[in-house]
Amino acid sequence: MQKQAQPERTLLLETRHLTRILPAIVPVTLVKDINFTVGEAEFVAITGPSGSGKSSLLYLLGLLDRPTEGEVFINGKETHTLDKTELAHMRLAKLGFVFQFHFLLPEFTALDNVMIPMQKLGKLSLAQQRKRSGDLLAALGLGDFLHRKPMQLSGGQRQRVAVARALANDPDLILADEPTGSLDSVATEQVFQTLRDIVDQQNTTVIAVTHDMDLADRMDRRIHLVDGMIDYDRTQMPTSSGS
């Protein structure tokens, strides 16, 4: 699960004039003229009031939606001209996703759910997939639950399985949309610490949309949106764990 530490932080993601407008009789602007860069091993919170464009921005960063204007660069590669097949491959190979609701397949075990992205990418043998899936789950404290189905797990455990699934293909960037929004305080802390460890121990970047200001204060940086635009983008000193 460990990634080799890099000697210095490198540029991972860049947006240039990123804009998303929904066509209608009266067009709706979801995000407007978003410009920022994110480096390796950053833990970034995206905050803002309801309707400010947080999830819309995350979907653009994750190549799940296409911008109306502007560009997203990942590892220096411009993504606007990629076709659907190329976008799907980049999402599988470079990005991991965690949502508010885990979206685990209920008929499959935790082990099998984590293997799904590996099967789609097709780089590892079945034996290698099983080993990596088991190693990821064990590293997240779920080594005794490999063969349990989602309904046999607690909410926090299910969300940690979803985190393991996001890590399956060793992504450079994990995008999380309200990953603790449906959890109680204990499970929220477990999932937050899991994401914190991913940043600190694996040099993986995590960008998380959150409405929880206590959690946002404990991340390394906050990008705050208002009316689809960046209100402020600041580096912050994270508070200590559990404070």
Side-chain angles (χ1 to χ4, degrees):
M1 187 172 175
Q2 291 284 340
K3 287 188 179 181
Q4 185 175 356
Q6 299 295 320
E8 61 182 22
R9 181 173 289 173
T10 56
L11 180 64
L12 175 62
L13 179 143
E14 180 181 3
T15 71
R16 297 181 187 174
H17 306 294
L18 200 60
T19 298
R20 172 86 161 127
I21 300 172
L22 292 181
I25 296 175
V26 179
V28 178
T29 300
L30 301 178
V31 295
K32 181 179 180 181
D33 198 29
I34 300 290
N35 298 276
F36 63 84
T37 61
V38 177
E40 176 190 73
E42 284 199 71
F43 196 5
V44 181
I46 297 178
T47 62
S50 296
S52 61
K54 303 184 297 296
S55 293
S56 297
L57 175 57
L58 200 76
Y59 275 58
L60 291 170
L61 301 181
L63 312 180
L64 296 169
D65 284 335
R66 286 189 182 268
T68 306
E69 300 175 15
E71 298 173 296
V72 176
F73 293 81
I74 295 177
N75 288 329
K77 184 177 181 63
E78 192 275 320
T79 62
H80 183 66
T81 58
L82 299 180
D83 62 27
K84 289 183 179 180
T85 300
E86 292 168 326
L87 285 172
H89 184 269
M90 180 169 280
R91 286 194 296 266
L92 271 174
K94 299 293 184 181
L95 309 177
F97 298 90
V98 182
F99 300 98
Q100 179 174 352
F101 301 102
H102 51 78
F103 296 121
L104 300 176
L105 296 180
E107 66 272 27
F108 293 145
T109 65
L111 189 77
D112 290 335
N113 267 282
V114 176
M115 288 172 59
I116 290 171
M118 297 182 236
Q119 292 170 343
K120 290 182 177 179
L121 190 61
K123 284 190 172 182
L124 301 178
S125 68
L126 182 60
Q128 290 171 323
Q129 292 172 22
R130 288 189 179 279
K131 183 179 187 308
R132 177 162 176 78
S133 180
D135 289 346
L136 286 168
L137 289 166
L140 296 179
L142 297 170
D144 293 332
F145 303 94
L146 304 185
H147 303 294
R148 293 195 184 183
K149 294 182 177 180
M151 290 304 295
Q152 298 172 304
L153 301 171
S154 70
Q157 288 170 334
R158 289 194 291 266
Q159 196 65 313
R160 278 184 283 157
V161 174
V163 172
R165 181 182 58 191
L167 289 167
N169 290 327
D170 196 25
D172 297 319
L173 171 64
I174 288 181
L175 298 161
D177 192 4
E178 299 283 7
T180 63
S182 61
L183 303 178
D184 62 27
S185 59
V186 172
T188 290
E189 183 61 25
Q190 291 174 337
V191 171
F192 176 82
Q193 286 298 331
T194 295
L195 295 175
R196 175 84 264 176
D197 290 345
I198 289 168
V199 175
D200 293 342
Q201 298 175 15
Q202 299 182 62
N203 293 326
T204 301
T205 296
V206 174
I207 300 177
V209 165
T210 183
H211 69 277
D212 189 326
M213 294 301 100
D214 290 335
L215 292 186
D217 285 342
R218 295 165 60 192
M219 299 184 197
D220 305 327
R221 176 180 169 192
R222 185 187 299 187
I223 298 172
H224 189 77
L225 302 183
V226 175
D227 295 332
M229 297 180 286
I230 294 178
D231 182 46
Y232 61 81
D233 178 356
R234 70 185 183 210
T235 301
Q236 54 193 22
M237 183 68 70
T239 58
S240 60
S241 175
S243 62

